[in-house]
């Protein structure tokens, strides 16, 4: 299948199996950019021949942590690894604010040129602005049966890895990128809230899927000898998994307690400019790990999936490259803004897991990522940690 080997722009494409329709894209530099949230775009404009687009018209501006963007919608044929989706709707940005840029570039040229949204259709800016739903790219791949399985899987590699080191597969799973078994948990349903103009998005029911959200039941910091519970919930609450965010955002008090246990008292401070805790890159307390406790049901469960990430993977270099020469770091856990006191799990945590996003069954599979420090295991019924099987959902 020669077409499977064509490159898309500056992205390396890799064919895994000619018999199955798998689309695999290697990702350059495992670290993601800061959290990005799409704003309100205008309605679709078909792509013309020769290529042209409608001029963006003014639209309400939506702003969240990480920046905002305004623009217009367009449609075009999107092709990855020889597989094409025709008339795919997407947003074309005309103005942005506070989107991640390379600080070394005096012109402020963005260090990225787009976001490939992988959330559910009801998370699109069009839906939340009261407009009609449309399928993001990956959902069209599934609906049009262009991939073998209704899943996509992500491997980000360890933070210090350089080059084309990560991978996303549409339609399959790369068994070489994880160890142990995949442990599946359900995607949490979400109740849409009014948009910035107070308009309630249209919905078929009060329960729907929007983010790739799991049911969280606790957060702890562990060592080889002890586990310190930071917070445990009487009933499960949503943990949003966001590969578009480098940092994990937690409510202020929770983030502070996590930082205290991971780094130590008086060894970190909040940098207001970047909205994150900073510290010496050697400040991490040896042997400590952040543990997320994820329920295997829609409430607190006795067989939670435990995702553990050592503090060394949570220290993000700020002042030097290569990684080994840096001295100042940001901690990959930060306080969420007051208006968004959510639990948003970013790449600093997620990179320790290989993740399979199952659209067909609305679930996410977690396994320990190959060659990345950290672990994924199932909590035994007696509260201890034990190698896990795959729970039935």
């Amino acid at each position: 299948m020669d077409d499977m080997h064509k490159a898309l722009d500056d992205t390396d494409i890799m064919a895994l199996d000619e018999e199955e329709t798998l689309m695999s894209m290697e990702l350059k530099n495992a670290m993601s950019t800061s959290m990005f949230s799409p704003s309100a775009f205008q309605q679709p404009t078909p792509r013309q021949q020769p290529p042209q687009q409608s001029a963006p018209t003014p639209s309400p501006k939506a702003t969240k942590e990480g920046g905002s963007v305004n623009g217009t919608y367009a449609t075009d044929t999107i092709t990855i690894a020889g597989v094409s989706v025709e008339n795919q709707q997407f947003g074309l940005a005309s103005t942005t604010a506070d989107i991640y840029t390379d600080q070394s570039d005096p012109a402020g040229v963005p260090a990225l040129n787009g976001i490939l949204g992988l959330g559910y259709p009801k998370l699109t800016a069009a839906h939340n602005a009261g407009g009609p739903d449309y399928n993001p790219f990956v959902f069209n791949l599934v609906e049009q049966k262009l991939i073998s399985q209704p899943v996509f899987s992500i491997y980000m590699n360890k933070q210090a890895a350089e080059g084309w080191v990560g991978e996303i597969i549409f339609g399959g799973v790369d068994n070489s990128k994880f160890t142990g078994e995949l442990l599946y948990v359900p995607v949490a349903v979400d109740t849409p809230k009014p948009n910035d103009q107070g308009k309630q998005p249209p919905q078929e029911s009060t329960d729907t899927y929007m983010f790739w959200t799991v049911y969280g039941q606790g957060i702890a910091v562990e060592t080889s000898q002890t586990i310190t519970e930071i917070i445990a919930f009487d009933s499960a609450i949503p943990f949003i998994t966001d590969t578009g965010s480098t940092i994990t955002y937690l409510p202020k008090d929770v983030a502070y307690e996590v930082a205290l246990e991971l780094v130590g008292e008086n060894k970190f401070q909040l940098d207001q400019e970047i909205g994150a805790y900073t510290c010496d890159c050697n400040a991490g307390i040896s042997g400590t790990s952040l543990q997320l406790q994820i329920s295997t049901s829609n409430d607190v469960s006795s067989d939670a999936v435990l995702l553990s990430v050592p503090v060394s993977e949570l220290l993000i270099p700020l002042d030097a490259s290569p990684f080994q020469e840096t001295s100042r770091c940001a901690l990959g856990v930060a306080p969420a803004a007051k208006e968004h006191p959510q639990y948003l799990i970013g790449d600093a945590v997620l990179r320790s897991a290989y993740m399979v996003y199952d659209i067909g069954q609305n679930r996410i599979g977690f396994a320990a990522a190959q060659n990345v420090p950290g672990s994924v295991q199932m909590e035994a019924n007696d509260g201890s940690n034990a190698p896990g099987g795959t729970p039935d959902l």
Side-chain angles (χ1 to χ4, degrees), residues 60-209:
K61 182 177 180 180
T63 302
K64 293 184 178 180
E65 289 174 300
S68 64
V69 58
N70 286 284
T72 188
Y73 275 121
T75 60
D76 205 342
T77 297
I78 307 296
T79 302
I80 295 179
V83 178
S84 297
V85 172
E86 296 181 354
N87 298 315
Q88 174 63 55
Q89 183 169 326
F90 57 92
L92 295 173
S94 58
T95 59
T96 64
D98 299 323
I99 301 300
Y100 178 83
T101 57
D102 184 348
Q103 299 301 318
S104 64
D105 188 338
V109 176
L112 58 94
N113 59 13
I115 295 289
L116 178 62
L118 298 172
Y120 282 85
K122 292 191 184 303
L123 186 59
T124 61
H127 175 84
N128 287 284
D133 292 347
Y134 70 92
N135 273 346
F137 176 72
V138 66
F139 284 81
N140 272 329
L141 291 175
V142 173
E143 186 176 276
Q144 298 175 27
K145 302 186 185 305
L146 296 173
I147 50 179
S148 301
Q149 302 175 58
V151 304
F152 62 94
S153 52
I154 295 176
Y155 172 79
M156 285 182 279
N157 216 320
K158 56 189 173 184
Q159 185 181 164
E162 296 181 351
W164 298 98
V165 296
E167 177 186 89
I168 181 169
I169 296 178
F170 298 104
V173 176
D174 187 346
N175 294 320
S176 70
K177 292 296 191 293
F178 65 90
T179 60
E181 294 185 77
L182 284 162
L183 304 177
Y184 284 91
V185 300
V187 176
V189 295
D190 189 275
T191 301
K193 298 175 178 60
N195 62 19
D196 292 342
Q197 290 74 46
K199 186 174 182 180
Q200 184 71 35
Q203 59 187 75
E204 289 70 36
S205 68
T206 55
D207 291 339
T208 187
Y209 297 107

Side-chain angles (χ1 to χ4, degrees), residues 126-345:
H127 175 84
N128 287 284
D133 292 347
Y134 70 92
N135 273 346
F137 176 72
V138 66
F139 284 81
N140 272 329
L141 291 175
V142 173
E143 186 176 276
Q144 298 175 27
K145 302 186 185 305
L146 296 173
I147 50 179
S148 301
Q149 302 175 58
V151 304
F152 62 94
S153 52
I154 295 176
Y155 172 79
M156 285 182 279
N157 216 320
K158 56 189 173 184
Q159 185 181 164
E162 296 181 351
W164 298 98
V165 296
E167 177 186 89
I168 181 169
I169 296 178
F170 298 104
V173 176
D174 187 346
N175 294 320
S176 70
K177 292 296 191 293
F178 65 90
T179 60
E181 294 185 77
L182 284 162
L183 304 177
Y184 284 91
V185 300
V187 176
V189 295
D190 189 275
T191 301
K193 298 175 178 60
N195 62 19
D196 292 342
Q197 290 74 46
K199 186 174 182 180
Q200 184 71 35
Q203 59 187 75
E204 289 70 36
S205 68
T206 55
D207 291 339
T208 187
Y209 297 107
M210 297 180 70
F211 296 93
W212 285 101
T213 303
V214 296
Y215 292 101
Q217 64 181 57
I219 296 175
V221 172
E222 59 180 341
T223 69
S224 59
Q225 304 294 326
T226 62
I227 296 181
T228 301
E229 291 285 349
I230 301 299
I231 190 168
F233 305 109
D234 294 330
S235 58
I237 69 164
F239 283 2
I240 300 171
T241 65
D242 185 5
T243 60
S245 174
T246 298
I247 290 176
T248 289
Y249 292 95
L250 306 175
K252 181 178 178 180
D253 292 347
V254 178
Y256 179 82
E257 290 299 322
V258 168
L260 191 65
E261 292 293 331
L262 290 174
V263 179
E265 192 171 5
N266 300 322
K267 292 186 178 180
F268 63 95
Q269 51 279 323
L270 179 63
D271 186 316
Q272 298 289 349
E273 183 176 355
I274 65 174
Y277 295 124
T278 60
C279 60
D280 187 280
C281 292
N282 296 318
I285 299 174
S286 178
T288 58
S289 295
L290 173 66
Q291 182 191 87
L292 298 186
Q293 301 160 2
I294 304 170
S295 177
T296 53
S297 72
N298 62 1
D299 206 344
V300 173
S301 60
S302 60
D303 56 351
V305 172
L306 308 177
L307 169 57
S308 297
V309 184
V311 66
S312 59
E313 285 297 298
L314 295 171
L315 296 172
I316 303 167
L318 293 176
D319 60 1
S321 181
F323 184 87
Q324 292 80 1
E325 297 176 7
T326 190
S327 61
R328 197 68 183 161
C329 280
L331 184 63
V333 175
K338 291 180 180 179
E339 62 269 25
H340 301 292
Q342 59 195 3
Y343 290 79
L344 187 144
I345 314 304

Side-chain angles (χ1 to χ4, degrees), residues 359-380:
I359 295 171
Q361 298 189 58
N362 296 307
R363 62 179 186 169
I364 304 175
F366 293 88
Q370 185 73 260
N371 298 322
V372 182
S375 67
V376 174
Q377 55 190 333
M378 182 174 287
E379 183 179 33

